[in-house]
């Protein structure tokens, strides 16, 4: 694809690491049922691949949030645009997210979900972009630490597109800078 400047994480690297994460989660939750809470839309691809490698029982639920601000800058004001369908009270919840950048979205979500009294609450993010962090977040499972660049593919979008691409790439600046 012309938009690809370079591939940061290949499909093979993604799949191998996601398998490891699934196995680690399976060991940590051996005798429990896990309530996976996927943050739409970015977390969807990751959820599907991750869940295949989790051996304890799992349930899925979905949440959608939007943060006010322009396309590339998170403001920290988060609105829930689609809430969970099930109660998470007394459940072992793992939030499944595509990327943690400033941490503002997850900071809000952690507080919000914590107030619903889950038995436990952990975070599993495919990508961690620590350079841009504005608030400290306790992340339990991390796929890859990534540099402070705009990334696209495997859940991450550019103008809502390219979420279906099976690898993560940096786009050529001419595509997103006028
Ligand atoms: P945070 O509140 O800054 O941590 O925002 C995290 C959200 O911003 C993620 O769930 C993504 O939807 C989006 N995001 C952050 N970095 C990127 C990127 O490099 N590409 C695409 N989306 C991103
Ligand atoms: Mg997201």
């Amino acid at each position: 694809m012309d938009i690809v400047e370079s591939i940061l994480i290949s499909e093979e690297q993604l799949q191998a690491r996601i398998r490891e994460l699934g196995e680690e989660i399976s060991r940590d939750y051996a005798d429990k049922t896990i309530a996976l809470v996927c943050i739409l839309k970015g977390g969807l691809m990751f959820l599907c691949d991750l869940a295949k490698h989790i051996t304890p029982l799992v349930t899925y639920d979905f949440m959608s949030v939007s943060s006010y601000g322009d396309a590339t800058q998170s403001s920290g004001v988060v609105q829930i645009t689609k809430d969970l369908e099930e109660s998470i009270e007394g459940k072992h919840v793992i939030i499944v997210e595509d990327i943690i950048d400033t941490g503002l979205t997850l900071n809000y979500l952690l507080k919000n979900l914590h107030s619903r009294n889950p038995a436990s609450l952990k975070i599993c993010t495919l990508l961690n972009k620590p350079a841009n962090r504005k608030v400290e977040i306790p992340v339990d499972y991390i796929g890859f630490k990534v540099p402070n660049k705009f990334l696209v593919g495997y859940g991450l979008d550019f103008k809502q597109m390219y979420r279906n691409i099976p690898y993560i790439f940096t786009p050529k600046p001419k595509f997103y800078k006028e």
Side-chain angles (χ1 to χ4, degrees), residues 74 97-99 101-105 129 149-151 156-157:
S74 186
E97 175 64 300
D98 52 359
I99 184 167
D101 186 17
T102 62
L104 293 169
T105 307
K129 212 192 252 185
K149 289 181 176 167
F150 180 52
L151 305 174
L156 300 168
D157 72 300

Side-chain angles (χ1 to χ4, degrees), residues 4-11 13 167-170:
V4 177
E5 183 176 64
S6 70
I7 295 178
L8 184 72
I9 310 173
S10 71
E11 182 172 5
Q13 287 173 307
Y167 51 84
I168 290 173
F169 65 94
T170 54

Side-chain angles (χ1 to χ4, degrees), residues 100-108 111 132-138:
I100 307 178
D101 186 17
T102 62
L104 293 169
T105 307
L106 266 178
N107 186 51
Y108 171 84
K111 283 185 191 145
N132 225 359
R133 200 59 47 83
K134 291 195 176 129
V135 47
E136 207 178 310
I137 299 286

